[in-house]
Amino acid sequence: MLQWEKAPHRGVRFVAFAAAVLVAFAIASPVRAEETKSERSNGKFVSYDAAAQSIVVKEGGKDQAYQVKAEGSVLTRTTLTMNGRVARFDDLKPGMIAIVYWKPDAADAAKRLARKIDVPKIPKEFMDEIDAAEKEKADSQ
């Protein structure tokens, strides 16, 4: 006698489980579609205000503020990496290049919520070139 004939209820359980999984994905899919995609910006780090939970990054000659959450679960806090390693906001120094991944605040579209911030290691000679290009651009304006 075949295994299937001995326990036909196993097949029914599997089909019920598969149907439940499909329904769960069908319900979750519209929620994901409503989420906005993260934007990416970069510039030089200016300051971090722990009390206001915000950072300022100079982008294209203008200061841009981002709301950050230094504490909390992995899903809710702003992740900060420096040279590919997890870091603290107190480790940031003015002038560092920062790549900010952010979303607009659902309550206030003028605010930007930083989800992830990367501070890559940039060799000194490239930083000198970046500084010279910024100075030249500022002088021409």
Side-chain angles (χ1 to χ4, degrees):
M1 189 182 259
L2 297 173
Q3 279 291 35
W4 181 261
E5 291 172 357
K6 287 182 181 177
H9 61 281
R10 286 186 186 167
V12 173
R13 285 184 187 166
F14 175 75
V15 171
F17 175 73
V21 169
L22 289 175
V23 168
F25 279 117
I27 291 171
S29 294
V31 173
R32 289 185 183 161
E34 292 174 9
E35 291 181 7
T36 58
K37 289 188 175 183
S38 290
E39 300 283 332
R40 179 182 166 191
S41 300
N42 57 39
K44 285 191 173 183
F45 174 76
V46 176
S47 65
Y48 167 61
D49 184 349
Q53 291 196 344
S54 66
I55 65 165
V56 176
V57 176
K58 186 175 284 293
E59 300 172 9
K62 297 180 182 176
D63 286 352
Q64 178 62 56
Y66 295 93
Q67 297 297 317
V68 297
K69 188 170 182 183
E71 303 291 324
S73 76
V74 173
L75 299 175
T76 60
R77 75 171 181 248
T78 303
T79 305
L80 172 64
T81 60
M82 294 178 73
N83 304 327
R85 295 180 184 201
V86 176
R88 297 180 329 218
F89 285 95
D90 294 333
D91 297 335
L92 291 169
K93 304 282 186 262
M96 291 179 154
I97 299 296
I99 303 167
V100 183
Y101 299 90
W102 59 274
K103 291 184 178 186
D105 187 353
D108 183 1
K111 290 185 178 180
R112 295 180 174 189
L113 303 174
R115 298 293 300 137
K116 183 175 192 314
I117 302 169
D118 289 326
V119 179
K121 183 174 184 177
I122 299 178
K124 183 174 177 7
E125 58 269 9
F126 291 133
M127 281 302 296
D128 292 342
E129 288 179 25
I130 292 169
D131 292 339
E134 285 180 353
K135 184 175 185 206
E136 188 175 303
K137 184 177 179 180
D139 290 344
S140 68
Q141 292 178 348

